[in-house]
Amino acid sequence: MSKQIIPIERIAHLIFILREQKVMLDADLAGLYCVSTGHLNRAVRRNLGRFPYDFMFRLTAQEAADLKCQIGISSWGGRRALPYAFTEQGIAMLSSVLNSERAVRVNIAIMRAFVKLRRMLDTNRELAQRFSELEQRVGKHDEEITAVLEAMGQLMMLPEKPRREIGSHVREDAARYRTRKRA
């Protein structure tokens, strides 16, 4: 059995990009910590000094509406207040506010998910850069490559077999006609 309390893949699905930052919502974090969203938000409000704007921020009504559409949350249920979004630093601070063994273990899993996501993004950037360089090198030879491919295509074409004629043909031995020149 795995030592992880929560699979990294599950956490990665809960990370969103808002205001050009990777964040997690308070309701998702509360679910991971096995506490109510209200309990999590009360603990944060009691310790607001630990959560500056770059650690945590409240979503605007438009951002919340956009997230509802993106995630697929129904509009009939739910919250009275707009949700909080916690950045990576804010999530790290949550473990000191919640004071439980589970909070510490969940925070470790979340930090590993952020690190894995960061590595994946760096790998994708490197691949994109290499692809761009390759495209620039190959782009100059585009016409030559096209000509080579066309020539290969022509060489690979099979000669057409003569087609059978459609319809019935009467094959009779006909008398030969003589064609002599008269003098």
Side-chain angles (χ1 to χ4, degrees), residues 48-65:
L48 272 178
R50 294 181 184 215
F51 296 95
Y53 182 76
D54 58 332
F55 282 28
M56 173 194 77
F57 56 88
R58 188 177 289 270
L59 271 61
T60 64
Q62 183 61 44
E63 289 170 334

Side-chain angles (χ1 to χ4, degrees), residues 29 72 91 120 147:
L29 287 166
I91 295 167
M120 286 173 42

Side-chain angles (χ1 to χ4, degrees), residues 70-111:
Q70 182 180 350
I71 300 171
I73 299 173
S74 65
S75 60
W76 55 266
R79 305 178 63 128
R80 295 180 191 165
L82 294 169
Y84 285 107
F86 291 87
T87 63
E88 186 174 354
Q89 295 87 0
I91 295 167
M93 190 60 70
L94 276 176
S95 66
S96 66
V97 170
L98 291 177
N99 283 337
S100 74
E101 185 179 327
R102 179 167 177 85
V104 172
R105 291 190 319 209
V106 168
N107 267 12
I108 290 170
I110 292 172
M111 292 305 118

Side-chain angles (χ1 to χ4, degrees), residues 10-86:
R10 179 175 167 210
I11 296 169
H13 289 293
L14 301 175
I15 298 173
F16 300 100
I17 296 180
L18 289 172
R19 300 181 192 177
E20 298 180 5
Q21 294 182 358
K22 291 185 285 279
V23 298
M24 291 182 75
L25 300 178
D26 56 358
D28 295 333
L29 287 166
L32 294 174
Y33 292 128
C34 293
V35 297
S36 69
T37 307
H39 177 75
L40 181 113
N41 287 335
R42 278 191 300 277
V44 168
R45 277 192 301 258
R46 282 193 301 262
N47 297 285
L48 272 178
R50 294 181 184 215
F51 296 95
Y53 182 76
D54 58 332
F55 282 28
M56 173 194 77
F57 56 88
R58 188 177 289 270
L59 271 61
T60 64
Q62 183 61 44
E63 289 170 334
D66 290 344
L67 269 181
K68 277 184 183 178
C69 292
Q70 182 180 350
I71 300 171
I73 299 173
S74 65
S75 60
W76 55 266
R79 305 178 63 128
R80 295 180 191 165
L82 294 169
Y84 285 107
F86 291 87

